[in-house]
Amino acid sequence: MSKRLVYLFGIAGHPELSPAMRAVEAAGWEIIVPSVPGFDGLPGFEPRDEYLDWLTTFWDSIDATGATPCPVVGASVGGMIAAELAALRPEIVTGVAVMAPFGIADGDDPGFNIYGTPAAERMGHLFAKGVPDAFANRFAHLGAEEAPVASYLSDVASANILWPLGDRGTRKRLHRITAPRLTLWGDLDEVNPVCNADAWGGAQVVAGAGHLLEWDAPNQVATALLAFLNSLA
Amino acid sequence: MSQRVVDFSSRAWNNRQMKMMWFHLMPYPNLPDDFNEKHRSVWVDIDPALFEREVMAETYDTYIDQLVYAEDCGFDGICVNEHHNNGYGLMPSPNLIAAILANRTSQAAITVLGNSVALYNPPIRVAEEFAMLDLFSRGRLIAGFPVGTAMDTTHSYSINPGTLRPRYYEGIELIMKAWQATEPFAFNGRFNQQRHVNPVPRPWQKPHPPVWIPGGGSIETWDFCAANDFVYGALTYYGYKMVRETVSGYWNRVEAHGRDDNPHRLAVTQFIGVADTDAEAYKLYREPAEYFFNRSLHVYPGFTDAPGYVTEASVRARYKSQVRQVARIKQAKHDLTWDEMVDNGYVVIGSPDTVREQLEEAAKELRIGHLCAMLQFGNMSDELTRFNTNLFGEKVAPALKTLFSEYDDPWWPQNAR
């Protein structure tokens, strides 16, 4: 089995590989990151009408890489999409690792409303240990006037997938996942509380990590991911 | 409650004049003095324990009576609007209020500004209810279709911000087609599919009631109004001085679409306080204005937008417009002094002559064919509201009504005064 995986990034887009994923890469894994419309902040993005349209968009982006069948690692929004992929197209997913995936809103705690807070404050709620420079400056290269527009458009994409900021019905499809699965969750996740992990059949809880745990706890996450990925081989 | 009997068949109003509309927000009048300190927002997640049912019930009665009284004072139209989870706008269903008004009045335009179309599923419900209101009032309805604020639509009703506007446009398309269709039809849109579109009843007015689009300043809304020949309603809480930029942008788009500059294409809201003298007005309207601007507008900034609610074009305009940035900063402070409110024109106050002069200047400069006067605001008492309304109707409105007599108003209901 070749050491190649598809990585689906999270709610704040993909400025660069996280420290955890760089560690996976350093261990010999080729990481394929599909280009998904909207998250790049480029002008002209059109929000999708419904969830099925987003699944189709991701399917097209993943298929365009030619990387599957292979393991799929997904974080946050990407975790939800990875689970949907494993449930609905099991023939192309040999293993699925999800980190704080959205898709199931269980219990009484809806989590922190990331889109009901001023844009400038949102990033701070995704991390437990401060906002990494990669995210703080994610569109700075576009200049002072264009950067906030790109940032807004990137948020449009993730909000368009997640709205109405509740359950997306993923639970109804979990039973279709036949590939081996790893679920990781930060115990300090504000926007997608760790209580939601129960509906996923439990998770390895990473202490001291927020929603984008691969940035907050790179060593623990990389260790868990590599153990899982290597077990697939 | 008595039903007025009017012979509508012989009515022929002269609509060539500036229209005076009486606009009610219906604010909750008893927000506590320490509201801002103890609560983060008047909108979306406001504490429901603040609302006492007895006060609410009495407030509805009082406010509805005030709207009826406005007709008695000669106002051409009475206006209601739609807000959700809101402490300064107690009308989640303006159509319920409008139904009462249609029954209790006989001359004023029943102006619903309006129904946020994307919130209705299916939106044909709006076509049905507006048609009923038009029949109740024998052709006095103005049909307003706002996009709705982010607080109302995306945060309170959880409509996806990325698809709100296309849903809204499609809903209006469906309603307009349904009102004018002579036989049932099938509708297959992006968001709405309906096998048998055939609303009963159809409106009294043919081909349909006049359509007004309340907006907050988005470029798309200006173009939508100009392209479809709808009235644009600049619904601002910050008065005619602050709305200049918005109105100027609108008129530029009207011209770009090859439309004429008929002032009746525009409606503007304005808080107004009239008294016998300037000094008396300064004294009388301070408390309700401070209540409104410093308590009712205490909205958590996180709720004022949602990613996708504003289009890419408007986002670019936002970040490039220093004027608007300054305005937003000023509005966000929420610690306005009474003098700031007056000096900046948020509230036009004074003697009848003083108020008339300011409003005449504003009407001519901005070309306002329909003035939506907000003569009740904040916790203003019923007594002061009626005093304000009566004085405006008696001593301010007559002079203003002589403006724009050279322009016909095709956006006025067929049977309103």
Side-chain angles (χ1 to χ4, degrees), chain B residues 144-253:
Chain B
F145 298 132
V147 173
T149 68
M151 288 73 79
D152 291 314
T153 57
T154 65
H155 291 294
S156 294
Y157 263 42
S158 291
I159 300 295
N160 195 311
T163 55
L164 174 68
R165 284 175 191 273
R167 281 183 185 279
Y168 163 76
Y169 292 131
E170 182 178 298
I172 294 176
E173 176 194 349
L174 171 58
I175 292 165
M176 298 301 288
K177 187 175 179 181
W179 274 345
Q180 299 172 77
T182 55
E183 55 188 41
F185 65 93
F187 187 84
N188 284 290
R190 277 172 66 184
F191 306 99
N192 301 282
Q193 297 80 37
Q194 200 169 340
R195 179 62 185 84
H196 300 285
V197 180
N198 188 26
V200 176
R202 302 289 210 275
W204 175 284
Q205 297 177 78
K206 304 299 178 189
H208 57 77
V211 174
W212 293 21
I213 308 293
S218 81
I219 297 163
E220 290 76 15
T221 303
W222 300 337
D223 280 326
F224 184 61
C225 290
N228 290 283
D229 211 17
F230 295 153
V231 168
Y232 176 64
L235 300 194
T236 175
Y237 300 142
Y238 295 95
Y240 70 96
K241 292 180 181 177
M242 295 295 285
V243 86
R244 278 184 179 126
E245 184 187 6
T246 295
V247 168
S248 174
Y250 166 64
W251 284 120
N252 287 340
R253 298 312 302 163

Side-chain angles (χ1 to χ4, degrees), chain B residues 8-79:
Chain B
F8 290 92
S9 62
S10 61
R11 178 167 292 173
W13 301 107
N14 172 20
N15 71 5
R16 289 192 162 196
Q17 61 177 33
M18 182 178 175
K19 305 299 190 303
M20 298 297 124
M21 325 281 286
W22 203 97
F23 190 112
H24 215 319
L25 286 172
M26 295 200 173
Y28 188 70
N30 285 10
L31 295 177
D33 292 342
D34 60 357
F35 177 77
N36 289 8
E37 289 74 47
K38 293 189 174 177
H39 303 270
R40 77 166 182 171
S41 185
V42 77
W43 214 334
V44 180
D45 61 355
I46 186 170
D47 182 357
L50 291 167
F51 301 98
E52 300 175 55
R53 65 181 182 182
E54 291 81 6
V55 174
M56 292 286 284
E58 287 292 327
T59 296
Y60 280 126
D61 288 347
T62 301
Y63 288 167
I64 290 167
D65 286 346
Q66 289 170 359
L67 283 155
V68 173
Y69 180 67
E71 181 190 62
D72 295 340
C73 292
F75 282 80
D76 302 299
I78 45 182
C79 313

Side-chain angles (χ1 to χ4, degrees), chain B residues 314-385:
Chain B
S314 290
V315 167
R316 289 184 188 285
R318 169 195 292 179
Y319 287 114
K320 289 179 179 176
S321 171
Q322 293 301 311
V323 174
R324 290 190 60 161
Q325 285 187 14
V326 170
R328 282 202 309 278
I329 291 167
K330 197 170 189 63
Q331 290 169 17
K333 283 168 62 179
H334 285 190
D335 56 352
L336 295 166
T337 68
W338 176 220
D339 285 336
E340 281 179 322
M341 297 175 205
V342 174
D343 294 344
N344 292 324
Y346 298 175
V347 185
V348 170
I349 61 160
S351 69
D353 285 344
T354 300
V355 170
R356 180 190 52 73
E357 285 170 12
Q358 285 191 64
L359 294 179
E360 186 171 335
E361 176 192 341
K364 288 178 177 176
E365 181 192 342
L366 275 61
R367 303 187 65 73
I368 304 169
H370 306 104
L371 176 67
C372 296
M374 295 191 286
L375 294 143
Q376 192 287 339
F377 43 89
N379 60 353
M380 189 184 296
S381 69
D382 185 45
E383 181 184 8
L384 183 55
T385 300

Side-chain angles (χ1 to χ4, degrees), chain A residues 42-45 47-49 113 115-118 121-122 145-146 148-149 152-153 155-156 159-161 163-164, chain B residues 154-155 158-163 167 190-191 300-303 305-310 312 315-316 318-320:
Chain A
L42 292 176
F45 168 67
R48 303 302 190 249
D49 290 350
N113 182 356
Y115 297 120
T117 200
E121 299 172 16
R122 287 177 194 149
E145 200 167 80
E146 194 61 24
V149 177
Y152 185 88
L153 293 178
D155 281 353
V156 170
N160 184 230
I161 296 174
W163 223 269
Chain B
T154 65
H155 291 294
S158 291
I159 300 295
N160 195 311
T163 55
R167 281 183 185 279
R190 277 172 66 184
F191 306 99
Y300 176 59
F303 293 141
D305 194 3
Y309 175 78
V310 179
E312 184 179 332
V315 167
R316 289 184 188 285
R318 169 195 292 179
Y319 287 114
K320 289 179 179 176

Side-chain angles (χ1 to χ4, degrees), chain B residues 99-173:
Chain B
I100 298 171
L101 297 175
N103 189 260
R104 289 185 57 187
T105 64
S106 61
Q107 299 179 19
I110 305 299
T111 312
V112 185
L113 295 175
N115 284 183
S116 299
V117 175
L119 305 187
Y120 295 78
N121 183 19
I124 203 68
R125 180 79 180 186
V126 174
E128 293 172 334
E129 292 192 6
F130 272 179
M132 291 173 71
L133 289 172
D134 204 31
L135 291 167
F136 292 170
S137 65
R138 304 298 194 277
R140 289 185 287 131
L141 177 73
I142 291 172
F145 298 132
V147 173
T149 68
M151 288 73 79
D152 291 314
T153 57
T154 65
H155 291 294
S156 294
Y157 263 42
S158 291
I159 300 295
N160 195 311
T163 55
L164 174 68
R165 284 175 191 273
R167 281 183 185 279
Y168 163 76
Y169 292 131
E170 182 178 298
I172 294 176
E173 176 194 349

